[in-house]
């Protein structure tokens, strides 16, 4: 098998014309699309409806190409979106297809080519969201996705994208009316808990943390527990957990490989250079035109440091009543990564609780081989 | 003479204790302070009162050390603040003192040391703000500040910081009541015009544009006209134009030098590396601890590109009803520059109309010589 | 004929289940739906995609009930949404159906019952949007909608809801690339021009202004020109003008009547009481439970006063860099009207340029007759 | 004694010229000023520095009139500000003076005239803020202020304004470094706890709750506990609790009286009418010019209902990532109250935890007697 990757742009959150055109031209076989990861231009918070709008538009369009209803497709193709294109970030989506392998392509001798695996969990109950049992549910789904990709060794996994459900004020009220207590009645707080559960679920599945460490109390509290490869978004539009596992495997073919690095803080520009370097790409200080042409996807998680400082200096993100702290940090880290890459089509997602070192995050890059490879 | 530079932090916009401590310890002679440039944590817009608060606090504190009232000091010491510490940016201020030269210090053979010159214009009438006559007024003040610094050759000037008055709804109403038409009744638009007039005033004084090109119609319209060295802020708290000119001069002594580069767009990380390189500092990809210790001030202007794109990709800054576009761009460019420098104490100011290439901006860096110099 | 009115709620902008349930139960005949007016919970600005999301969801749902594609339905059923449910405002939509008249219902002797008429204009070119020719195009469409309703006398018209296209940064760039100059490159400014054109188009059609007064220069400038019955929204999701005319007509039957009042400023609580009084409803100071049960729709336009004052007192809406002025005014006027009505399901739309007196706006209320009528 | 009340406006948060002019004219004796309550145009959150700026400006100005430093005055004259003038609200401040009684003035037979009492507590430790011990500290200060006013009967107290310190990210870090755990590391959450402690302190002092009910666990949790007369603000600029008690007392003279009502929710316009009615003022639906001239101060607390509804309808305040919920509710309730009063100079403060019924709040009005009284 091989993974095909298409980095596409949108004019607004209801615009899926770029993918529609590729399908109509035959460049993409709609039936082989297995996952979509993207950024839409909402605020990235509880009341960001650009994610649901894009997903509805995508599934409706695909439904016109395939013998399935939008609902059936949504239940089969994870479409994981992060809202918020602050600063230089540009709305875009990355479409992953699974296709029969082409002939040899140069990645055989380099430890394999990009592999993708998927899984959907059962729905998570509102009172379960953001708790340890939620993390265990995610861990099981990650292992299922690794099996799906044929990735046996956790070391070969470089990026796990999760989308978890979250809790709105209305959902919290419903639960309480049934005598069930949601993890938090504050929607933004509950969203953070949901992301934390997703992240520690990945960490557990990849052997980055011990099962014993994964308790209700540890979530959003023991920040020494984290995954270097988990990226978790949370949204009102879903009720189960969607998992996409990406890694490199000698069983797979194709021009793409993936690399990742943890980011120790919001100024860790070295992590960006490091992930690029693992793929044979040098930014000095920015990728050249050829190297930029090889980039098929850049995925970043980041987080405003909770002690109110970035290294020695005070930041003001957490004290700002006007701009949400996640919007601040996405804009800043997005600016830095986009500066190194030379392009604003970077997936930068805030809310990196337990995703990379505390106050930092992680980066994963997918690139094709050099022309001459 | 020599210029002394102190990069200080604040805990909030009314906190000038860091400078007070330096004065009390004798490290700074309050009477030698000639200018302050800083960033406060407001929103950077018309209703950002953190600038006025800091200035009031500063002048009141200095008044306790000097035989002058706060008002007299404010009329003599330009305190130019930019509001908005989005993302990783950190509230800070740079204090410039003029002192008798110490003995030789290693910069003699390198084309001179950091020189500083100052000027205040007469008050600008509300109906004049943001028009060509405003720019001419600024140009005269820039030339006066160059004379003050003994900088005869415009090529030796690397950074000109201007603060211009702006127009609130109330001021606009007053003017109209007198039969005078302000350049715009929209406060944010008027602020942009004020910055444009300041920038083209600098460009005229430095010979970067022809006098004939400087017309009312050109402001905010002919974006091919710009200064590579102008940084203009605008605020409700002043009524005249304050000018600080910084350059390198063989007549000056001291450990500091300044360098600058235009930035062609918000991803121009090469300009950051270039300005550092001019000062003998290498970021690969970030400054090391020693090099960071030599940094005394980083000054950046930037601007959301008005065609809605950053290079090939659509950005969403100008279409965002929730976050002002200037807040977006400061966060993004601030993140990139802070990533290269390794510190969030970067003066990043939005509103770069005619300050650097359209959609880009500029960077200036002040650094001391290497230890062994 | 008679007009049926359904005031429905939504759980999020993609939720049209309330109408779907009414159709499934037989309470609403999907084929008789002629118009929808509603409020969604976006920011109400250029980047508010909740309107497009709701419209897509609505048309897709209706398409399942009718022999027509979503696109065909969207071209036939005006769905005019205003984004922004600040403060106590609640997301909701009012569905209008045209049905054969039932038997006599008590409104015969009172000057008629609620009548509705519709029209769609041709698409408005980007360079035409927000100019006098745009207003003329709207005026023609209003007259067509009056004909459609059988409302010959402009005095019988009480509310005209218009949705006009607007200009994004991308659309402006496209136009400029073709050598055409849009009315403004600033999306929020262009949106204001589009609303102004819509409003003066209504004023012209209803004989509230002279045709000679309607010039390009008058738009957003001569604020003495206005309609007391125009409500205009503007959105990125459409390219033509949609018109809904509401009035009372003796030719129509049914329990509903409509009344309106201009609001002279944002504190004109008397206008609210006046419109209610015209319908036989007394608020002292709030509607009682029975009276509230008769309310079928409340429609308000409002505007932050451009001189920076509300009566004698300074307001800060126009100087606020963090919250858009339209969001401020919707929240304030919405709070006042909801307080009198006793319910947050009020259509309050900002951007009232030329819609009611300058700095004020207007209110229209639809209510059914008293039980015993 | 008698209380003098001056309702003054400001052009910006550093503008205290209106009071300065009254002092210079002799209309106000600076030495008799005992308290100031006002609204400034910041965002009302942790990073609202307009409160500190106004206070600094006020104390500096008063220092010029009195033989005392700004710091001494700040420790003696409570200046309690609430940030946020959303919508039609107008920045203003109410100055209270205590003066020897004039001759008889018509209020003698009506249950007394406006009385004012003050108290300052000791500083509250960071780890104590927002906990039950904080509430007890406030209760003691309220009783001291009642004694100061000569108000023995809690029933004669109509409004208690408290300002409590709050916790920034920096303060929380400091406390943790000392092994002390602040009530919350989230600044906005900690601010809510601080207000809750202040409110229940008032309730305890006024006998509205039992001492046994006042536990750490009850704060922000048992919302059935509340005061109908407490108004609490919280700000970074102070470290102790400031208390102003207002009531009516037969021992006092002067033209002013005060009345209050709890507000059951954000639509409780009847509470506004009720408080006015207690003072002999009729709004039908708005105060007339004469009645408006008698208003000397309107004080409102309000709160977004935590179940996500206002009466039957869903509101979106708590799910909004872009505008803080407190800004939403101040704008909405401010619009309603200003509509009834006919003026935007209303003190509307969000964060009404335990201040009035849950999801509602309270209103207090000070008015002078009728001309003919």
């Amino acid at each position: 098998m091989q993974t095909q990757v298409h980095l596409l742009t949108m004019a607004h959150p209801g615009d899926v014309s770029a993918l529609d055109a590729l399908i109509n031209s035959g460049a993409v076989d709609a039936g082989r699309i297995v996952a979509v990861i993207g950024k839409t231009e909402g605020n990235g918070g509880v009341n960001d409806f650009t994610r649901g709008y894009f997903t509805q538009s995508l599934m409706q369009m695909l439904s016109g190409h395939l013998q399935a209803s939008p609902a059936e497709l949504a239940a089969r193709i994870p479409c994981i979106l992060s809202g918020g294109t602050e600063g230089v970030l540009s709305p875009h989506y990355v479409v992953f297809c699974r296709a029969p392998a082409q002939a040899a392509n140069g990645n055989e001798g380099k430890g394999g080519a990009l592999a993708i695996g998927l899984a959907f969990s059962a729905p998570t109950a509102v009172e379960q969201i953001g708790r340890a049992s939620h993390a265990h549910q995610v861990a099981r789904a990650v292992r299922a996705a690794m099996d799906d990709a044929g990735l046996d060794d956790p070391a070969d996994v470089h990026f796990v994208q999760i989308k978890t459900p979250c809790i709105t004020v209305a959902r919290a009220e419903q639960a309480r009316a049934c005598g069930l207590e949601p993890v938090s009645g504050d929607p933004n707080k509950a969203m953070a808990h949901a992301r934390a559960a997703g992240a520690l679920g990945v960490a557990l599945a990849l052997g980055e943390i011990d099962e014993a460490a994964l308790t209700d109390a540890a979530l959003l509290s023991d920040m020494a527990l984290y995954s270097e490869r988990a990226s978790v978004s949370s949204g009102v539009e879903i009720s189960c957990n969607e998992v996409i596992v990406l890694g490199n495997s000698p069983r797979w073919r194709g021009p793409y490989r993936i690399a990742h690095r943890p980011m120790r803080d919001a100024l860790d520009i070295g992590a960006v250079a490091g992930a690029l370097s693992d793929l044979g790409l040098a930014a000095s200080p920015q990728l050249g035109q050829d190297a930029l042409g090889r980039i098929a996807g850049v995925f970043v998680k980041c987080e405003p440091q909770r002690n109110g400082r970035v290294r020695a200096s005070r930041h003001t993100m957490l004290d700002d009543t006007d701009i949400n702290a996640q919007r601040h940090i996405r804009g800043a880290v997005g600016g830095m990564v986009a500066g190194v890459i030379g392009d604003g089509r970077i997936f930068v997602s805030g809310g990196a609780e337990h995703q990379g070192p505390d106050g930092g995050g992680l980066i994963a890059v997918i690139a094709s081989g050099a022309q001459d490879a």
Side-chain angles (χ1 to χ4, degrees), chain A:
Chain A
M1 295 295 284
Q2 77 166 46
T3 307
Q4 293 168 338
V5 188
H6 299 275
L7 173 55
L8 304 175
T9 58
M10 65 181 90
H12 58 79
D15 172 29
V16 291
S17 61
L19 179 56
D20 195 32
L22 287 183
I23 296 170
N24 288 330
S25 75
V28 166
D29 177 346
R32 296 198 177 283
I33 297 172
V34 292
V36 174
I37 301 178
K39 277 215 76 77
T40 54
E41 60 203 281
N43 60 29
V46 171
N47 69 325
D48 182 349
F49 302 101
T50 60
R51 298 174 297 221
Y53 186 20
F54 180 86
T55 303
Q56 176 172 292
S57 302
L58 176 72
M59 298 306 169
Q60 199 171 339
M61 182 272 285
L62 291 179
S63 177
H65 292 288
L66 298 166
Q67 304 295 359
S69 72
E72 287 166 338
L73 292 171
R76 179 169 104 199
I77 303 173
C79 175
I80 304 188
L81 304 167
S82 159
T85 54
E86 293 79 12
V88 298
L89 297 176
S90 184
H92 71 284
Y93 54 116
V94 179
V95 178
F96 295 91
C97 299
R98 265 207 296 225
Q102 308 284 316
N105 51 52
N107 274 323
E108 291 75 9
K110 298 181 186 169
L114 182 65
I116 185 167
L118 311 166
F120 284 69
S121 79
T124 311
V126 172
E127 69 278 11
Q128 191 182 2
I129 291 176
R131 297 206 160 105
S133 64
H134 185 186
H136 281 281
Q137 187 186 34
V138 168
R140 287 189 297 274
V142 172
R143 286 186 205 106
M146 287 172 64
D147 286 349
D148 184 49
L151 287 161
D152 307 325
D153 184 353
D156 291 337
V157 173
H158 288 271
F159 191 64
V160 182
Q161 177 64 52
I162 307 273
K163 179 82 168 241
T164 73
C166 67
I167 306 176
T168 57
V169 169
R171 280 182 186 178
E173 279 303 300
Q174 267 181 328
R176 283 204 195 91
C178 304
L180 300 166
E181 190 56 32
V183 70
S184 172
D186 173 340
N188 281 302
K189 189 81 178 167
M191 219 178 199
H193 272 280
R195 288 188 299 255
L200 292 186
V202 174
L204 183 62
L206 299 185
E208 294 173 292
I209 63 167
D210 285 335
E211 184 159 357
L214 180 47
T215 62
D216 280 355
L219 272 82
L220 292 187
S221 166
D222 182 354
M223 305 313 285
L225 302 178
Y226 61 85
S227 169
E228 287 188 359
R229 293 164 276 175
S231 165
V232 189
S233 287
S234 184
V236 295
E237 65 276 19
I238 57 165
S239 56
C240 71
N241 300 276
E242 305 177 352
V243 178
I244 304 171
V245 164
L246 295 167
N248 296 320
S249 165
R251 300 185 195 165
W252 288 64
R253 294 287 174 271
Y256 299 104
R257 287 180 57 75
I258 184 168
H260 82 278
R261 288 290 172 99
M263 294 179 76
R264 72 181 169 101
D265 62 23
L267 301 180
D268 192 359
I269 198 171
V272 186
L276 291 171
S277 164
D278 290 352
L279 296 165
L281 296 163
S284 52
Q286 193 172 77
L287 292 182
Q289 209 52 46
D290 281 359
L292 178 57
R294 290 173 52 196
I295 298 292
V298 180
F299 306 90
V300 176
K301 288 295 291 193
C302 54
E303 183 76 0
Q305 206 148 328
R306 291 171 308 122
N307 68 356
R309 302 197 158 262
V310 175
R311 298 193 186 168
S313 299
R314 180 170 71 99
H315 70 75
T316 61
M317 295 182 265
L318 297 172
D319 276 351
D320 193 342
T321 302
D322 290 310
I323 299 184
N324 183 275
Q326 304 297 343
R327 305 203 72 177
H328 270 296
I329 193 70
R330 281 193 300 261
V333 175
M336 178 177 76
V337 177
V340 176
I341 301 290
D343 194 287
R345 291 172 302 166
I346 311 288
F347 177 94
V348 180
S349 172
E353 304 87 351
H354 304 290
Q355 300 151 67
D358 189 28
L362 54 88
I363 181 169
V365 180
I366 298 173
S368 59
Q371 289 294 94
D372 59 350

